Amino acid sequence: MYIIKIKLTKATVRILLLAVTGEISLIGIAKTLKLSKKTVSQELKQLEESGFIARKRNKQGITVTLSQKDYALKFKDLVTKYHYLKYTKLLPGKNLDFLLLLAFTGKTTKNVGKILGIQARAARERMGHFLDFGLLYRENRKYYISNSLQELKDFLISIINYYDGPGIQLWRFMGEQLFQVRKPEQGKGYPTGFNEYDKYGVLIYTIRYTCYIGKTKPVMEEVFIHSLYQIEDSRTLGMALTFFAK
């Protein structure tokens, strides 16, 4: 799977805040945060796996720098501009998942609860937490990220859009992903879109293969929806309409 999964803890956020200022050693992190070297090493491993930092070993031991991935750099931009925000209270645990859901558009607590699999009441309490810190505003029962926090939106969107797998990513949401590759062997998950039309009696040849990563194999309606991302000209539009009419 090519979707990055980022889970931050209070400790990893504190380490990231140090890494934003420049290169720092493992020993320096341990001393500054009053943590054991073993704990720091474990947290660094998590940050490295999620792509936030880069570690290197030299004569002085292990040193850490912020990675050059877009979302790591966007995090630096965010912290640089809004240094006063309490990131150790805003990003750890499920908080990041909540904020990611609001990156593009507002949502009700019912919507958020359904997507994250929690009660609407719990979602409302979490939204209240963000309201208290000035991250969100509420309008027509929906919660939105504050318009004054563009760097926060940029950071969240950079996480959502990040992709380092083969081919081209077409769409992504939470644990689902749609992407195209040149060769079938590069694909992961389930074939979908135009490549599955023949299963339903509509034959179409393509030079790319569309794949879906998700919990279940796409049904006919989902195959059609996925194919809409592949429409490039009148021919492919016609094939999609033919399939829809079946």
Side-chain angles (χ1 to χ4, degrees):
M1 184 177 291
Y2 305 109
I3 298 173
I4 56 168
K5 291 191 176 182
I6 295 177
K7 293 294 181 184
L8 297 174
T9 65
K10 185 175 180 179
T12 53
V13 173
R14 293 174 71 194
I15 292 172
L16 278 176
L17 293 173
L18 289 177
V20 162
T21 63
E23 187 174 81
I24 187 169
S25 68
L26 185 154
I27 295 175
I29 294 171
K31 287 182 177 179
T32 302
L33 302 184
K34 295 180 172 57
L35 297 171
S36 70
K37 288 190 289 185
K38 181 179 179 180
T39 298
V40 171
S41 183
Q42 291 172 342
E43 300 294 346
L44 289 178
K45 181 180 178 182
Q46 181 180 335
L47 284 173
E48 189 174 35
E49 288 176 349
S50 62
F52 266 111
I53 64 161
R55 286 194 289 181
K56 62 181 180 181
R57 185 180 293 275
N58 52 36
K59 293 180 180 179
Q60 286 71 43
I62 296 174
T63 59
V64 175
T65 56
L66 208 63
S67 81
Q68 293 302 300
K69 286 184 168 57
D70 188 48
Y71 54 89
L73 298 177
K74 287 292 194 295
F75 177 77
K76 182 178 181 179
D77 292 341
L78 171 65
V79 172
T80 301
K81 185 165 184 177
Y82 306 106
H83 57 84
Y84 55 85
L85 290 176
K86 299 184 183 298
Y87 295 100
T88 55
K89 293 185 178 180
L90 297 174
L91 296 180
K94 285 260 183 199
N95 286 345
L96 185 58
D97 291 337
F98 275 82
L99 293 173
L100 287 169
L101 287 178
L102 303 178
F104 289 107
T105 186
K107 288 182 175 59
T108 65
T109 52
K110 185 177 180 180
N111 292 149
V112 171
K114 185 176 181 180
I115 294 170
L116 295 181
I118 63 174
Q119 296 293 323
R121 180 179 177 181
R124 193 176 303 111
E125 290 176 354
R126 194 70 62 107
M127 294 303 186
H129 171 73
F130 292 133
L131 283 172
D132 291 341
F133 281 99
L135 264 62
L136 308 180
Y137 69 93
R138 189 182 181 190
E139 185 177 288
N140 297 327
R141 301 180 67 184
K142 290 185 177 181
Y143 292 85
Y144 299 83
I145 292 176
S146 173
N147 292 323
S148 64
L149 296 174
Q150 185 58 48
E151 280 74 11
L152 175 59
K153 290 183 181 179
D154 292 343
F155 167 60
L156 297 171
I157 290 171
S158 67
I159 292 176
I160 293 171
N161 289 338
Y162 183 75
Y163 176 72
D164 65 353
I168 303 170
Q169 178 173 255
L170 301 176
W171 173 83
R172 172 184 158 185
F173 181 74
M174 299 298 287
E176 298 178 79
Q177 181 186 37
L178 191 68
F179 63 99
Q180 282 185 339
V181 293
R182 286 282 187 178
K183 301 176 182 178
E185 57 269 25
Q186 293 177 317
K188 302 286 184 179
Y190 303 101
T192 188
F194 290 149
N195 304 105
E196 286 292 280
Y197 271 24
D198 63 325
K199 301 286 179 61
Y200 302 97
V202 178
L203 185 62
I204 181 170
Y205 295 99
T206 64
I207 59 173
R208 297 187 184 92
Y209 298 86
T210 304
C211 306
Y212 168 75
I213 292 177
K215 294 181 179 179
T216 58
K217 183 178 181 179
V219 297
M220 182 177 180
E221 291 79 7
E222 292 169 321
V223 166
F224 170 69
I225 292 172
H226 293 162
S227 71
L228 298 180
Y229 288 89
Q230 298 176 262
I231 294 175
E232 298 177 343
D233 50 33
S234 58
R235 181 184 72 88
T236 49
L237 174 60
M239 297 302 293
L241 293 174
T242 299
F243 185 81
F244 180 75
K246 287 183 67 63

